[in-house]
Amino acid sequence: MKLRAILAIIVCGICSFAAAYTFTATEPLKLEVPEMKAELVNAPHSDYWSENIPSTDMLTLDMKMPEALPKMDFDFFKSKTNPGVKPYQFMDDMTFVGVPLFVAGMLIKGDKAMFRVNNKDGKKNTQLLTDFKTGIDDYTQFFGPALTVGLKLGGYEGRSDWPRLLASAAMSYGLMAILVNGIKYTAKEMRPDGSSANAWPSGHTATSFVGATLLHKEYGLTRSPWFSVAGYGVATATGVMRVLNNRHWVSDVMSGAGIGILSTELGYAFGDLLFKGKGLLRNDLEMDFENPSFFGISMGVGLGGKDIGFSLNDLQDREKYGIMEIGDVDSEEDYIQFRAATVVDAEGAYFFNKYIGIGGRLRVRAMSAKSFGQYNYISTDSPTDYWSTIVAPVYNEAQLTFPEASLSEGGLPVTNMTGTVKSDHLAEFTASCGLYFNIPLSKHFALGTKLLIGRSFTQELDIDGHAEGNVKDIPYDLWISNGKIYENELGRWFILEDPKSTGEKYNVDWDYLTLGAESSTSWGTGISLTYKYKSNFSWRLFVDYDYTKKTFTLTADSFNFMKHAVTPTTYDLLSTSIVSPYNVLLDPVVYKKDKKMNYVTIGLSFMVNL
């Protein structure tokens, strides 16, 4: 299943769960049989019944009436305050959790080494272009405010009336816009796709987290915590899609999320200062939760297991290359290198007491490549360079020579060579379960750790090659006598002539490079610091360590296009061991290697205390 589909299912599941919980949390209508007591009373006139029911002068009815159904609310400019709602002080609700998120993004900004690859549409791109494209993130960034306004219009009261809500939201978005654009056009960070120099921080992610925090403050804190889970879940998915769309680096998304949360907390703080106790409709939910059971969503950055190397000793069918046993050749590893990973979690645990519980974690970890090493041949500025530096040496090793004059006859064998990344990252999906431990430090703070075991599945990195040009034919003479092939006076079995153009053209796409891994067992632990800032909400800063041993397989089919670039007879000649011991270079090269992967993840969790 593709990653975009999995992300869409996760987002829809969170939203559906939030909606379902809202209905399940509604108290059913209770009809109690009234206690009736007979009393002698004077008969009232007819208007008395309509104006004074119920009355202590009548039969006493002790009934709990259901809460009235909400009515549509379009009083955008009318201020109202419900009695008994506690006013907020300036900075009363600040958590400052946006600060470590912003700083984390700033610290990993350097992990974005660029490498030039193709020359698509006249632009020298800083990264191989990926085929993953979705416009969903252009809409999910507005999920929070859309749901908040929709609930408000439907008469479902939240924290604030219309004037206070609109003022707080305007200040939140205004602060976010000032911070994001001020940094964007000062830092001038190039986007991964090379389109513009305004990558850091991510505006889409910042906008999404402003909306999520609006929904959290208006309805998550006052109505149901699952509104908060839905808002922050969709905001996190928006940030991940910005990375997968090749529009942002991980650092851009982390900093954008931090700015979004911080801007909204400041916007509400200024709203509390301006409005004081006016315009408040509901108090925060107050629940006496001492048990540390929780459900949370997390976003983090992965710092380990960033290089995967292969050597000649990792070749499959080693005998074809003259390597009989592992260790027969002294070969250095060539590495495929990866940037810091984007990590997204959904995690929950049930605690038997204050100290120990059981739970599980679903984790998606995506590492995008920043260098393909020697396996990335589609990296030169022109087809001529590709032909002369990569293809021609293979021909020459096979005792073929291509004088410059012959290349011009009928055009170059390769006139266009590009690569398209179907997936520029290794994505790991890990499901784990195990023991969770909690050590209370105070009313608001606690330390935690865990021991997990699970199963890890990997989506492969995939690059497609594209080549087009002029089909060539290579005339040749073989020295054959009595049915046997003999060497001539030059010590050769054959004489090859200069390539000739057939007048035909070719255009081919093929699987150029794939890197994947088999499923494996994963072991995990970690340490965390939890800050319980409300009775039913917490923020958690965590450092996780995960270990797994994976079997990676890399397949590089660099010269597949040669089946189309030359005539079938010529290709058969080049693929025949009689002609050259280097014929195997035209075949796909397959490496397989076991590697121990050590992952360190630093991140922040938003948690609902259950």
Side-chain angles (χ1 to χ4, degrees):
M1 181 182 293
K2 293 187 176 297
L3 181 57
R4 72 188 80 172
I6 294 176
L7 287 174
I9 291 171
I10 292 175
V11 171
C12 293
I14 291 175
C15 297
S16 301
F17 190 32
Y21 184 88
T22 302
F23 285 106
T24 57
T26 305
E27 289 190 9
L29 175 63
K30 296 180 179 179
L31 180 60
E32 298 182 3
V33 179
E35 180 181 351
M36 305 183 69
K37 183 172 61 175
E39 294 182 0
L40 294 175
V41 297
N42 296 322
H45 56 82
S46 59
D47 291 339
Y48 184 91
W49 290 93
S50 59
E51 296 175 1
N52 296 281
I53 295 176
S55 171
T56 54
D57 294 330
M58 300 167 45
L59 296 177
T60 302
L61 299 178
D62 184 13
M63 297 179 62
K64 288 185 179 180
M65 300 301 293
E67 186 177 343
L69 293 175
K71 297 180 180 179
M72 301 291 284
D73 184 359
F74 296 99
D75 294 330
F76 301 110
F77 306 104
K78 182 180 179 181
S79 178
K80 57 182 177 180
T81 305
N82 287 341
V85 181
K86 175 187 173 183
Y88 293 87
Q89 301 297 319
F90 179 58
M91 306 287 280
D92 209 14
D93 251 1
M94 289 292 296
T95 65
F96 296 100
V97 295
V99 176
L101 272 174
F102 176 81
V103 172
M106 186 169 61
L107 292 177
I108 63 172
K109 251 168 35 67
D111 188 33
K112 51 180 76 168
M114 300 178 182
F115 57 96
R116 185 172 298 166
V117 285
N118 54 36
N119 191 17
K120 189 173 183 179
D121 299 328
K123 297 179 181 179
K124 295 185 183 299
N125 300 304
T126 57
Q127 182 181 354
L128 282 166
L129 296 178
T130 173
D131 263 5
F132 182 93
K133 295 294 178 187
T134 178
I136 298 176
D137 50 348
D138 291 331
Y139 304 99
T140 55
Q141 63 177 320
F142 302 116
F143 173 80
L147 185 54
T148 300
V149 171
L151 291 169
K152 187 71 174 168
L153 288 174
Y156 195 64
E157 285 187 346
R159 179 186 197 260
S160 313
D161 66 358
W162 276 113
R164 185 168 185 144
L165 170 61
L166 294 175
S168 299
M171 286 186 285
S172 300
Y173 280 106
L175 287 169
M176 180 272 294
I178 292 172
L179 290 173
V180 167
N181 289 290
I183 297 173
K184 269 182 181 289
Y185 297 102
T186 301
K188 297 181 178 180
E189 288 285 338
M190 184 63 69
R191 292 180 183 271
D193 61 6
S195 60
S196 58
N198 60 347
W200 183 70
S202 168
H204 276 67
T205 308
T207 301
S208 187
F209 272 87
V210 168
T213 310
L214 283 174
L215 182 62
H216 165 64
K217 286 186 173 292
E218 288 295 326
Y219 291 100
L221 289 174
T222 63
R223 286 290 192 169
S224 169
W226 297 104
F227 284 116
S228 303
V229 173
Y232 283 116
V234 174
T236 300
T238 301
V240 173
M241 283 187 284
R242 296 304 287 168
V243 176
L244 297 180
N245 266 337
N246 214 29
R247 295 290 290 166
H248 281 290
W249 312 95
V250 178
S251 58
D252 306 338
V253 168
M254 297 286 287
S255 294
I259 288 176
I261 295 174
L262 182 62
S263 297
T264 313
E265 290 190 339
L266 287 173
Y268 268 77
F270 287 125
D272 293 338
L273 181 65
L274 293 174
F275 288 87
K276 300 186 183 302
K278 295 181 180 179
L280 291 173
L281 304 180
R282 293 183 69 90
N283 284 313
D284 288 350
L285 297 170
E286 291 294 337
M287 303 178 186
D288 187 18
F289 285 128
E290 292 187 359
N291 190 294
S293 298
F294 71 92
F295 171 82
I297 53 175
S298 310
M299 186 174 185
V301 57
L303 302 177
K306 295 167 62 177
D307 297 328
I308 300 176
F310 298 91
S311 71
L312 293 179
N313 286 307
D314 300 318
L315 283 169
Q316 299 295 289
D317 301 324
R318 288 186 296 272
E319 61 277 3
K320 288 201 318 183
Y321 304 88
I323 304 172
M324 303 309 297
E325 299 291 341
I326 296 178
D328 280 357
V329 295
D330 184 13
S331 172
E332 293 185 359
E333 289 187 328
D334 195 78
Y335 290 92
I336 294 180
Q337 297 178 321
F338 295 88
R339 298 184 180 88
T342 304
V343 181
V344 179
D345 296 342
E347 189 172 18
Y350 171 77
F351 278 75
F352 305 108
N353 50 48
K354 292 183 179 180
Y355 307 103
I356 187 170
I358 57 173
R361 181 187 69 191
L362 296 175
R363 168 164 287 178
V364 180
R365 178 189 182 91
M367 301 188 300
S368 62
K370 69 177 180 181
S371 172
F372 294 104
Q374 68 177 5
Y375 313 109
N376 177 32
Y377 292 144
I378 306 179
S379 59
T380 53
D381 293 333
S382 72
T384 305
D385 292 338
Y386 183 89
W387 183 263
S388 62
T389 60
I390 304 301
V391 180
V394 176
Y395 275 63
N396 293 335
E397 291 286 2
Q399 302 182 26
L400 285 168
T401 58
F402 287 104
E404 287 297 324
S406 68
L407 292 178
S408 62
E409 180 186 337
L412 288 168
V414 180
T415 57
N416 186 28
M417 178 75 70
T418 57
T420 301
V421 179
K422 297 297 183 180
S423 172
D424 68 341
H425 55 272
L426 280 179
E428 295 185 33
F429 304 88
T430 306
S432 305
C433 62
L435 296 174
Y436 283 74
F437 304 93
N438 182 69
I439 304 175
L441 300 178
S442 68
K443 180 180 178 181
H444 293 285
F445 289 94
L447 286 176
T449 187
K450 56 197 171 189
L451 295 173
L452 301 177
I453 182 173
R455 199 69 180 168
S456 175
F457 306 88
T458 303
Q459 180 194 52
E460 66 181 12
L461 179 149
D462 181 18
I463 303 176
D464 282 359
H466 171 82
E468 54 188 79
N470 304 285
V471 179
K472 295 287 185 174
D473 186 31
I474 305 174
Y476 63 95
D477 293 320
L478 282 177
W479 292 78
I480 301 177
S481 178
N482 296 326
K484 295 182 180 180
I485 299 176
Y486 291 91
E487 295 182 0
N488 63 6
E489 64 275 10
L490 299 177
R492 298 176 179 175
W493 295 290
F494 57 90
I495 295 177
L496 298 169
E497 300 177 10
D498 292 343
K500 307 295 182 182
S501 176
T502 65
E504 299 178 3
K505 295 184 180 296
Y506 69 93
N507 189 316
V508 61
D509 296 285
W510 77 99
D511 290 334
Y512 175 84
L513 180 73
T514 58
L515 173 64
E518 299 175 2
S519 62
S520 60
T521 300
S522 175
W523 305 85
T525 185
I527 187 170
S528 62
L529 177 65
T530 300
Y531 168 53
K532 187 175 183 179
Y533 81 106
K534 294 287 184 181
S535 63
N536 56 333
F537 290 104
S538 298
W539 291 98
R540 172 174 289 174
L541 184 65
F542 66 89
V543 179
D544 283 353
Y545 169 77
D546 294 282
Y547 167 83
T548 184
K549 183 178 180 181
K550 287 185 172 293
T551 300
F552 288 94
T553 300
L554 182 145
T555 303
D557 194 4
S558 303
F559 301 105
N560 180 283
F561 71 95
M562 289 301 300
K563 298 175 183 178
H564 308 270
V566 296
T567 60
T569 303
T570 300
Y571 188 83
D572 290 341
L573 173 68
L574 297 175
S575 302
T576 304
S577 58
I578 294 176
V579 175
S580 169
Y582 300 96
N583 65 297
V584 294
L585 294 176
L586 297 178
D587 295 334
V589 181
V590 180
Y591 300 86
K592 184 169 284 191
K593 181 177 184 177
D594 293 334
K595 182 174 176 60
K596 298 175 181 179
M597 305 298 289
N598 299 281
Y599 298 133
V600 176
T601 304
I602 300 174
L604 188 70
S605 299
F606 173 80
M607 303 192 311
V608 175
N609 304 321
L610 303 175

